[in-house]
């Protein structure tokens, strides 16, 4: 959540707001009762799953109306238009509310209650650029698959389309597409390659057996993806050109922020190693390695690793944390100053957070992603215990708990936390001083 | 001779050097376990009595487990990989279509040698040589391209769930299939035949979850399919990718556990083979089979039987949930709870005969249907002896395979899933009905 860069003159980290526009959020009002969820459940025959805006000011939910149609209810007020179906509500990073809706048997995206003019046989998987400016989704029309970006469809369509990626700035949208039809059980045609990538409505000129996990670099100029060249032969393709080196298996590619090189975990023999642009970067060999991340200053790399079979931890710059976990370890998160790494860990079906290799002593039934304070000193996470939700801060559980809770957000100065929770059936937005949680 | 382009055409491209190199490369990677098995086996043949293929094919030694190893792996080892393309084709016929890797033979081996594992090693070699029965390879290709077994498009998956939710609501007004609900207690996952050809099972589960008051969800993304035929074709990289996505989806949704539908091989893929390849000693999110789930719901009173199934019914013990995890007593509890006239099979429990559809055999497709049925005459005789009209098969492979055996031997029976009977038998409270 905490994005940052380095000031070239001072070499000090410059902390950017974790979420676009958060500087202008209301960080002063300590409590706002936004909506009565009990009343909403009494008013509508069906009330589905709630979603809360990044700034906490709005709570939205698909509801069924008395006439058997669906709409989206925001802070208790339904959108004017009702639909045959409405679901998959998502707030964009810049706070716009989107939903997938069906009217007159045709689907589209509705943004803040206004459906896009283009209609589709089906639409799904709404995703956003990091700044929220671009909204994209996958579409089907006349049994052909394509992509729609900010309401405008690509002109090209495909036999299939199975995943999209949006560049951080939203300038480009990529999709894994199948341009070549395949007859039933045509195993030979399949091995000739029927999949490729299309970027901004233009497909690459080479097909592959399979394509997975497309990823843009930070300025959207480059795209990398996993590709399969043979039965058990994998590599990375960057901007349409495969690496010369191939591997037994690979996982998701990641661009370095500077320089445009690509990092990827690759299987060599029966071990996993970290590779950069086809060449071995780390000397360590792991029983498993994935979810690599680069620190905000670009100097460090962390990844989920199993140094030996069944023992999971985080490796930072090829050095695994001493303590390992038998169940699983999830993706690493760097602190804004790049010096600390936090990750969700699980042992004996109990969840907690480990920071720089040290697990919190408190464990939980579930833990959400850790977030660092802007000064990197504090780690918070939404946690679940006894069917109630709360916030853990540096490993200690806050005394207050909630029926529902969304992940807490640090204020830009790090002195406060935005708490978005449901108490006694009411959704309440709170601004809480850090000292109250400590 | 059965014609199969996956074997007939692919062997034409093989070179002796390629065969030798691939065999020796795989053997070298197997290490001590394989060596121990190869040196321990005394060729006693006691495993033969365990194998439905051997018993069904007039006790022909070539169809015994030890015979299958002798005609494939042992020869490869003995000849140091110097075997020809015809040998490879015959090996493919044996290991893909005459063995369901059910592991019954291991129980009869005095040394407990995992013969199925040895035949899976041969499958790995054949996968690397691209010699795989065409339909099984196509299923694996589907896994690789779509992350599900039956080329189900992403929109078809979501659309089917929404359709089945509406179907469930025709019966039970409050029924839902919550999609992509973060933090639900349970993620329910299925194999692709459910949305593709047996969509009513999704409606049934929606109703059962509603009656039981379960906080559940199903993913709106790839990762919903828990099946894994790549595990059986020998494409372990695709197997791993599918399993990883299945668990990554559960981890993304923050569910406490995964309940999976009535499938056996998928249970094996999710509980054992997939996690091991990925370095998880156990599934990173607890995974339970439908048998365990129904047992839990019944024994805790969350669902109640009020109308027992009256027709005579028997049951199949799927190898991967019964021999693999010992769920036979829970299965019998469910059968006795919901059926008035349950007639058990003999042999039963972990000694029950394989359905001869698992292990990827039924996915070898129509060319091999007759051969497969011939290889399981003993299953037909066993089922006929019960006098039952229905066979409950809590596994999709058992379900389809046994239905074919019933048809081939004209047994006059039919297969059902547990859910087929359960949905008719449980109490549906008035306030939930449409």
């Amino acid at each position: 959540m905490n994005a940052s860069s380095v000031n070239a003159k001072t070499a000090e980290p410059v902390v950017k707001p974790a979420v676009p526009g958060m500087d202008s959020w209301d960080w002063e009002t300590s409590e706002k009762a936004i909506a009565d969820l009990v009343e909403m459940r009494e008013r509508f025959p069906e009330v589905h799953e709630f979603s809360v805006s990044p700034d906490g000011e709005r709570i939205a939910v698909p509801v069924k109306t008395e006439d058997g149609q669906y709409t989206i209810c925001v802070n208790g007020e339904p959108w004017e238009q009702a639909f045959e179906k409405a679901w998959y509500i998502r707030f964009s990073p810049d706070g716009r509310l989107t939903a997938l809706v069906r009217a007159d048997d045709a689907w589209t995206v509705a943004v803040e209650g206004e459906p896009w003019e283009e209609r589709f046989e089906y639409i799904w998987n709404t995703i956003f650029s990091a700044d929220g400016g671009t909204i994209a989704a996958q579409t089907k029309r006349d049994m052909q698959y394509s992509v729609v970006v900010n309401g405008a469809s690509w002109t090209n369509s495909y036999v299939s389309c199975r995943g999209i990626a949006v560049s951080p700035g939203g300038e480009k949208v990529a999709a894994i597409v199948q341009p070549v039809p395949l007859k039933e059980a045509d195993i030979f045609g399949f091995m000739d390659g029927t999949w490729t990538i299309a970027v901004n409505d233009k497909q690459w000129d080479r097909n592959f057996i399979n394509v997975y996990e497309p990823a843009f670099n930070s300025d959207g100029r480059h795209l990398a993806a996993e590709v399969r060249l043979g039965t058990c032969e994998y590599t990375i393709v960057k901007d349409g050109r495969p690496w010369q080196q191939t591997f037994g298996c690979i996982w998701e590619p990641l661009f370095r922020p500077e320089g445009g090189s690509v990092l990827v975990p690759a299987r060599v023999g029966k071990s996993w190693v970290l590779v950069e642009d086809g060449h071995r970067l780390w000397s360590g060999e792991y029983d498993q390695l994935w979810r690599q991340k680069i620190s905000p200053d670009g100097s460090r790399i962390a990844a989920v690793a199993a140094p030996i079979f069944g023992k999971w931890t985080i490796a930072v710059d090829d050095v695994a944390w001493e303590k390992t976990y038998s169940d699983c370890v999830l993706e690493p998160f760097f602190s804004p100053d790049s010096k600390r790494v936090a990750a969700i860990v699980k042992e004996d079906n109990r969840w907690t957070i480990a920071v720089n290799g040290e697990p919190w002593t408190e464990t939980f039934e579930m833990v959400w992603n850790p977030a660092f304070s802007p000064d990197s000193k504090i780690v918070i996470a939404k946690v679940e215990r006894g069917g109630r939700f709360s916030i853990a801060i540096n490993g200690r559980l806050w005394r207050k708990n909630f029926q529902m809770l969304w992940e807490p957000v640090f204020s830009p100065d790090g002195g406060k936390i935005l708490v978005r929770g449901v108490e006694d059936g009411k959704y309440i937005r709170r601004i809480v001083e850090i000292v109250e949680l400590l | 001779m059965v014609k199969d382009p996956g074997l007939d055409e692919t062997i034409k491209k093989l070179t002796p050097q390629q065969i030798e190199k691939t065999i020796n490369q795989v053997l070298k990677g197997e290490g001590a376990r394989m060596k121990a098995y190869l040196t321990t086996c005394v060729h006693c043949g006691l495993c033969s009595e365990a194998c439905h293929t051997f018993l069904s094919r007039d006790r022909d030694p070539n169809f015994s487990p030890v015979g299958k190893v002798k005609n494939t792996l042992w020869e490869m080892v003995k000849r140091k990989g110097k075997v020809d393309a015809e040998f490879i084709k015959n090996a493919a016929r044996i290991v893909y279509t005459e063995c369901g890797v059910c592991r019954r033979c291991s129980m009869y081996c005095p040394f407990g040698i995992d013969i199925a594992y040895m035949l899976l090693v041969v499958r790995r070699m054949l996968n690397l040589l691209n010699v795989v029965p065409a339909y099984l390879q196509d299923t694996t290709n589907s896994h690789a391209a779509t992350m599900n077994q039956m080329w189900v498009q992403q929109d078809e998956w979501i659309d089917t769930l929404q359709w089945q939710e509406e179907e469930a609501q025709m019966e039970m007004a409050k029924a839902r299939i919550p999609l992509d609900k973060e933090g639900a207690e349970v993620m329910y996952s299925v194999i692709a035949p459910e949305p593709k050809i047996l969509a009513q099972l999704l409606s049934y589960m929606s109703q059962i979850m509603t009656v039981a008051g379960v906080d559940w969800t199903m993913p709106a993304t790839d990762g919903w399919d828990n099946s894994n035929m790549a595990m059986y074709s020998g494409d372990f990289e695709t197997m791993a990718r599918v399993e990883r996505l299945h668990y990554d989806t559960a981890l993304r949704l923050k569910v406490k556990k995964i309940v999976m539908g009535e499938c056996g091989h998928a249970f094996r893929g999710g509980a054992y083979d997939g996690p091991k390849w990925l370095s998880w000693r156990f599934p990173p999110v607890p995974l339970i089979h439908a048998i365990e789930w129904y047992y839990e719901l019944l024994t805790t009173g969350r669902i109640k039987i009020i109308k027992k199934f009256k027709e005579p019914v028997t049951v199949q013990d799927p190898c991967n949930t019964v021999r693999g995890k010992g769920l036979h007593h829970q299965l019998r509890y469910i059968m006795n709870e919901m059926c008035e006239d349950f007639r058990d099979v003999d042999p039963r429990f972990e000694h029950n005969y394989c359905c001869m559809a698992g292990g990827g055999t039924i996915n070898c497709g129509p060319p091999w249907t007759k051969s497969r049925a011939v290889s399981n005459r003993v299953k037909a005789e066993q089922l006929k002896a019960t006098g039952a009209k229905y066979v409950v098969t809590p596994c999709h492979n058992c379900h389809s395979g046994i239905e074919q055996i019933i048809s081939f031997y004209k047994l006059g029976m039919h297969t059902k899933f547990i859910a087929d009977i359960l949905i008719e038998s449980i109490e549906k409270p008035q306030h939930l009905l449409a």
Side-chain angles (χ1 to χ4, degrees), chain B residues 255-291:
Chain B
V255 296
K256 307 277 190 331
K257 66 182 169 190
I258 300 170
V259 174
M260 56 169 292
E262 296 179 51
C263 187
H265 95 274
F267 183 75
R268 175 177 175 157
Y272 307 114
D273 292 33
K276 295 280 185 294
W277 197 96
L278 290 160
S279 201
W280 284 312
R281 193 176 296 274
F282 305 105
V285 178
L287 169 89
I288 64 170
H289 188 266
I291 294 171

Side-chain angles (χ1 to χ4, degrees), chain A residues 122 140 145 212 231 346 368, chain B residues 130 144 153 155 162 182 279 284:
Chain A
Y122 215 86
K140 179 166 79 168
Y145 291 85
Y212 307 108
T231 302
K346 182 170 169 237
W368 276 254
Chain B
N130 296 316
Q153 299 273 15
D155 62 297
Q162 292 175 333
E182 187 185 289
S279 201

